[in-house]
Amino acid sequence: MRVSIPSLCGLSDFRGFSQVAVSNHTGRLVLVMTKEELKGASEEEQQAQSKKGLKKAQKEAEKAAKKAEKQAKLAAEQQSTDEDDFAKDRYGVSPMVQSQEKLDRVLVRVQQLTPERADQLIWVRARVHTSRAKGKQCFLVLRQQQFNVQALVAVGDRASKQMVKFAANINKESIVDVEAMVRKVDQKIESCSQQDVELHIERIFVISQAEPRLPLQLEDAVRPEGEGDEEGRATVNQDTRLDNRVIDLRTTTSQAIFRLQSGVCQLFRDTLTDKGFVEIQTPKIISAASEGGANVFTVSYFKTSAYLAQSPQLYKQMCICADFDKVFCVGPVFRAEDSNTHRHLTEFVGLDIEMAFNYHYHEVIDSITDTMVQIFKGLRDKFQTEIQTVNKQYPSEPFKFLEPTLRLEYTEGVAMLRAAGVEMGDEEDLSTPNEKLLGRLVKEKYDTDFYVLDKYPLAVRPFYTMPDPTDKVDLEKIKAYIDSFRYGAPPHAGGGIGLERVTMLYLGLHNVRQTSMFPRDPKRLTP
Amino acid sequence: MALRELSSLEKFLGLKKPNKYSTQGDRKVPVLQSNSGPGLVGLVTIATQLTQEAKRPDLLGKSAEERAVVQQWLEYRVARLECCVKEDIKTILKDLNTYLEDKVYLAGNHITIADPLMYYGLHPVIMDLAVMDKEKYLNVTRWFDHMQHYPGVRHHLPPVVVLRNRVYTSGHH
């Protein structure tokens, strides 16, 4: 189709274009150049470029020749290896598991690999903890949570050279499915949890590959600090751990810590339920601050704003006024405190209790302390493996407590501090160093890591504390939730503790971030 | 402060007649005024003079070696303790702790003038020391407690509490 287009703007030179046409598809104007025209176009330019072109062409030819050579070589190798690889279908990278088929295969847990299973052919799915080749053999350590076992691929009638090479090159932390014969070993394998057996691999498939460069090495993450300094080996610092939390949580120590923490929660619930408590859930988006307005997060709530609950305090008490008698709740607590210490988080899990009592608040104290003692006992009896695992990396003394729990009055505590040379007033709050010192003094005198300090001076307590009737101190104005008290409220008392702190103190750890899976503090919002 | 110290020292030495003192310069260097001629300047000089006056030369050291050690500690008192900063205190306490590991007194087997003077000098430091540090520098605390209970030494200074039992196990942070 020929079109006369005097108005083609921007094109001053139509030389070299034989036609102007309109494309059928786009409706756009197309300038067409024939092949002959291209060839003939500016012969002078061509000549000048011919020398350069020649050189370029030469270089490219050389490159191509080399590449062809390499490829031929590889192909030849490949062929030779393929030829000799009789074990080709006993190893490899499996396609991604997308529930394509239901395999009737039983996977044995690494924990169950004991001498009783000797000479059995079993399948195991685990992570590759380490792999190293030694001549015609490759030693792997396969890890599953806290347990690991040594595995071996050796050139023989079941495995070929290529298979051993493949096993040695599997990236650390990849998940593999392994079919192997369980064999008893004469010499105990000290470095593994399963010390009496070894796996002789017949088939190995990679189910999920890990990247070759890991942000941190698990061996380094489990190394105790002192050992690291002594032997000059690397340890991983806390920030790196927290930035790559998913990998850090795979270490045996982390697994043990969080299993124990789960135990704390479980024991808390079970003990209280046995005592007749009801578990409640309190709202976390609230209209007024409960612990003082300074440390509260604000959220936008449609057209107004609301706060994130600093504690379930007010709602626990309202539940008592609603006749639930004994309640407890486990839930997040949000404190917007800009404290960058080893024991503060902006979000933590609170274990809270509230209970109506008959005539004396000591009934509640007895109940709470008994709950704590049951938790400590439960941890001591059922979680020894976890405690020992944690102690390997973070050595500490076992947790001590008295039964019944030691109870000191605030004045006694002040007297003990004064005897140690600390100057403080009778109505003065315990500063953190003094609190810590008092703990050491009590530990030294009574040999317990857990005690109750009773009768704090009212001046240092929040507004919802009931004053001692023998003390002539004015009642503070508790306007906020006084309505719930207007329609008959039973005498009640309660308390709350942080789950992370309990775990930290029980295990003798020194930073609360170690016991919080994905900790939140003024400087950390991810992961 | 040095003046009160010197008056305590006099009492320790058993001098009946108190002397007249004044201070000189920014650093409040004590000056012992005498009737004849210029006064004696400097804590060490005055202390030595007082000891001579009290006819207790044994307090300066029984042998030449002991005398040298006593002088060394008196110098230490003036040179390092008087003008030390917070960072230095740790080093001082550490050095002193190592030194006192196998000694009851600073020089020799009996009390010398070095002991009370070092005690006066270290008092403000030990007063503010946390219980944990007192346990860390155990030998210094032991010597200090010995000094503050020694008859005639303490006088004007408040007693520093020293716990009888260890509260911190070694290895705790």
Side-chain angles (χ1 to χ4, degrees):
Chain A
M1 190 168 97
R2 290 200 202 237
V3 175
S4 78
I5 8 105
S7 59
L8 263 178
C9 49
L11 280 176
S12 52
D13 192 356
F14 288 92
R15 280 181 303 160
F17 301 110
S18 60
Q19 292 178 5
V20 176
V22 178
S23 162
N24 288 339
H25 310 289
T26 61
R28 286 219 203 110
L29 289 164
V30 175
L31 297 167
V32 180
M33 241 169 134
T34 61
K35 238 188 193 172
E36 290 74 19
E37 277 149 17
L38 272 167
K39 268 194 188 163
S42 145
E43 282 208 33
E44 311 91 45
E45 285 183 319
Q46 257 202 335
Q47 265 187 350
Q49 293 204 359
S50 65
K51 271 196 188 161
K52 272 196 195 166
L54 264 175
K55 271 198 183 162
K56 244 192 183 175
Q58 261 183 339
K59 266 198 179 166
E60 282 181 14
E62 275 175 27
K63 254 193 185 173
K66 266 196 183 167
K67 215 179 179 185
E69 233 187 277
K70 241 191 193 173
Q71 276 183 346
K73 218 180 174 182
L74 272 171
E77 260 182 32
Q78 202 63 307
Q79 238 200 342
S80 67
T81 53
D82 278 343
E83 275 169 19
D84 298 335
D85 195 1
F86 57 88
K88 218 172 10 161
D89 53 351
R90 283 211 276 276
Y91 68 94
V93 179
S94 288
M96 181 160 71
V97 171
Q98 288 176 305
S99 301
Q100 303 98 321
E101 48 176 357
K102 286 190 187 177
L103 274 178
D104 192 14
R105 190 187 281 172
V106 174
L107 295 179
V108 176
R109 308 285 299 170
V110 170
Q111 194 180 6
Q112 297 165 325
L113 295 174
T114 54
E116 280 125 28
R117 285 188 181 260
D119 301 324
Q120 283 181 20
L121 189 66
I122 48 100
W123 278 92
V124 170
R125 175 174 292 178
R127 280 193 197 269
V128 172
H129 188 62
T130 53
S131 71
R132 70 174 198 283
K134 236 184 168 186
K136 291 198 168 176
Q137 293 177 328
C138 170
F139 286 94
L140 297 154
V141 173
L142 299 176
R143 183 190 85 235
Q144 202 175 54
Q145 294 176 339
Q146 308 102 300
F147 306 100
N148 47 19
V149 66
Q150 182 163 288
L152 158 64
V153 194
V155 176
D157 55 350
R158 306 295 294 159
S160 62
K161 218 172 26 172
Q162 297 86 340
M163 183 168 159
V164 176
K165 192 170 171 203
F166 172 81
N169 287 334
I170 301 179
N171 293 330
K172 280 192 196 177
E173 294 301 298
S174 301
I175 302 183
V176 291
D177 269 356
V178 159
E179 185 186 35
M181 191 69 93
V182 181
R183 293 261 187 250
K184 265 171 84 168
V185 281
D186 303 316
Q187 242 188 343
K188 281 206 173 207
I189 303 169
E190 298 288 313
S191 56
C192 290
S193 69
Q194 313 303 108
Q195 295 184 336
D196 301 310
V197 294
E198 186 177 61
L199 294 178
H200 289 221
I201 296 181
E202 310 226 334
R203 286 198 267 182
I204 178 163
F205 296 101
V206 175
I207 301 298
S208 175
Q209 237 181 357
E211 278 190 18
R213 304 195 112 224
L214 296 169
L216 61 99
Q217 296 297 325
L218 266 87
E219 295 170 307
D220 296 337
V222 174
R223 193 166 289 130
E225 282 280 342
E227 201 185 288
D229 292 331
E230 271 166 32
E231 300 180 12
R233 291 201 175 167
T235 48
V236 187
N237 73 2
Q238 192 166 275
D239 275 332
T240 319
R241 283 175 199 273
L242 294 177
D243 289 334
N244 302 290
R245 197 52 160 161
V246 169
I247 304 186
D248 181 49
L249 286 173
R250 291 183 196 170
T251 58
T252 44
T253 315
S254 298
Q255 293 274 322
I257 292 176
F258 291 103
R259 278 171 210 287
L260 191 125
Q261 191 171 70
S262 161
V264 172
C265 238
Q266 183 80 6
L267 288 161
F268 182 74
R269 285 206 167 97
D270 290 344
T271 318
L272 288 173
T273 316
D274 287 339
K275 287 183 196 279
F277 279 71
V278 175
E279 184 170 0
I280 59 165
Q281 308 295 337
T282 61
K284 307 299 167 206
I285 310 177
I286 56 177
S287 58
S290 59
E291 305 271 340
N295 316 320
V296 68
F297 287 112
T298 318
V299 288
S300 63
Y301 199 77
F302 303 108
K303 297 218 173 96
T304 62
S305 23
Y307 305 104
L308 290 178
Q310 297 158 304
S311 77
Q313 185 58 42
L314 308 187
Y315 295 96
K316 280 193 299 181
Q317 294 187 260
M318 295 205 279
C319 272
I320 303 295
C321 296
D323 278 351
F324 278 95
D325 208 40
K326 301 193 236 191
V327 296
F328 73 94
C329 87
V330 178
V333 169
F334 302 96
R335 301 265 169 109
E337 240 179 87
D338 197 3
S339 297
N340 293 296
T341 73
H342 69 280
R343 59 180 199 167
H344 280 93
L345 295 172
T346 47
E347 179 186 345
F348 61 91
V349 176
L351 304 169
D352 281 273
I353 305 177
E354 196 81 15
M355 185 179 138
F357 61 84
N358 299 330
Y359 296 104
H360 201 289
Y361 76 97
H362 279 179
E363 295 162 37
V364 180
I365 294 195
D366 290 339
S367 198
I368 296 183
T369 52
D370 184 60
T371 309
M372 297 304 298
V373 165
Q374 296 307 320
I375 295 180
F376 299 145
K377 278 188 179 167
L379 291 176
R380 179 194 64 195
D381 298 336
K382 296 190 223 165
F383 289 87
Q384 267 310 314
T385 353
E386 280 76 11
I387 298 174
Q388 295 310 319
T389 314
V390 176
N391 278 338
K392 266 199 223 156
Q393 187 174 355
Y394 301 108
S396 86
E397 298 190 6
F399 189 84
K400 291 219 177 129
F401 56 94
L402 295 172
E403 203 179 350
T405 309
L406 172 68
R407 191 186 312 149
L408 294 176
E409 295 214 356
Y410 194 80
T411 42
E412 276 179 73
V414 172
M416 280 173 82
L417 282 172
R418 285 195 182 131
V422 173
E423 287 173 21
M424 61 180 291
D426 290 324
E427 295 276 301
E428 203 183 306
D429 195 5
L430 280 181
S431 68
T432 312
N434 285 343
E435 201 182 287
K436 288 190 176 176
L437 178 58
L438 184 58
R440 307 296 307 178
L441 292 170
V442 167
K443 173 76 194 267
E444 195 271 321
K445 186 167 174 187
Y446 298 98
D447 199 25
T448 172
D449 289 312
F450 172 66
Y451 69 102
V452 173
L453 203 57
D454 194 9
K455 303 208 189 236
Y456 266 72
L458 188 69
V460 304
R461 298 310 299 153
F463 71 88
Y464 48 74
T465 316
M466 171 69 83
D468 191 333
T470 57
D471 287 349
K472 302 283 187 273
V473 181
D474 276 336
L475 199 72
E476 274 193 43
K477 297 212 160 53
I478 5 173
K479 290 185 224 153
Y481 60 121
I482 206 156
D483 282 349
S484 62
F485 291 80
R486 281 153 107 203
Y487 308 111
H492 59 275
I497 42 166
L499 174 64
E500 290 87 352
R501 276 196 195 177
V502 170
T503 316
M504 168 180 89
L505 295 167
Y506 187 83
L507 289 170
L509 299 171
H510 297 313
N511 197 306
V512 74
R513 289 161 188 76
Q514 293 170 311
T515 51
S516 173
M517 253 194 196
F518 299 103
R520 291 283 173 270
D521 66 34
K523 301 208 155 62
R524 179 170 291 276
L525 208 46
T526 57
Chain B
M1 201 212 28
L3 303 185
R4 284 214 296 185
E5 205 180 308
L6 286 168
S7 68
S8 295
L9 195 61
E10 285 182 344
K11 292 201 197 104
F12 168 67
L13 291 168
L15 288 170
K16 298 277 165 49
K17 204 174 91 174
N19 290 303
K20 283 218 177 82
Y21 298 102
S22 61
T23 60
Q24 157 187 318
D26 300 319
R27 296 253 219 94
K28 300 279 195 291
V29 180
V31 179
L32 171 60
Q33 289 175 329
S34 71
N35 303 326
S36 51
L40 283 176
V41 179
L43 185 66
V44 178
T45 335
I46 298 176
T48 323
Q49 167 64 9
L50 288 175
T51 322
Q52 304 277 25
E53 240 182 71
K55 296 198 184 41
R56 302 275 305 273
D58 54 308
L59 286 179
L60 284 172
K62 288 195 179 135
S63 67
E65 195 184 324
E66 255 184 52
R67 280 196 284 272
V69 176
V70 171
Q71 284 302 312
Q72 175 200 299
W73 282 111
L74 293 176
E75 291 287 330
Y76 191 91
R77 160 71 206 274
V78 177
R80 292 205 68 185
L81 275 186
E82 300 289 295
C83 41
C84 72
V85 243
K86 246 197 171 169
E87 293 84 42
D88 290 342
I89 291 186
K90 276 203 177 143
T91 338
I92 291 175
L93 286 172
K94 206 167 125 190
D95 292 339
L96 212 52
N97 198 43
T98 335
Y99 180 80
L100 284 168
E101 206 171 311
D102 56 352
K103 295 179 186 63
V104 180
Y105 299 101
L106 281 174
N109 294 330
H110 58 102
I111 193 164
T112 57
I113 204 81
D115 294 291
L117 279 175
M118 280 294 280
Y119 160 74
Y120 296 135
L122 277 172
H123 188 274
V125 172
I126 306 286
M127 267 269 275
D128 292 331
L129 220 54
V131 177
M132 201 164 81
D133 291 329
K134 279 192 223 156
E135 282 194 12
K136 196 164 142 198
Y137 304 116
L138 200 58
N139 299 313
V140 178
T141 317
R142 168 188 46 85
W143 167 83
F144 192 88
D145 199 35
H146 180 48
M147 281 305 118
Q148 68 180 357
H149 286 110
Y150 199 95
V153 175
R154 197 161 63 76
H155 292 299
H156 66 282
L157 293 170
V160 175
V161 174
V162 170
L163 295 176
R164 300 200 72 123
N165 302 315
R166 289 190 80 126
V167 171
Y168 289 89
T169 52
S170 58
H172 201 274
H173 72 117

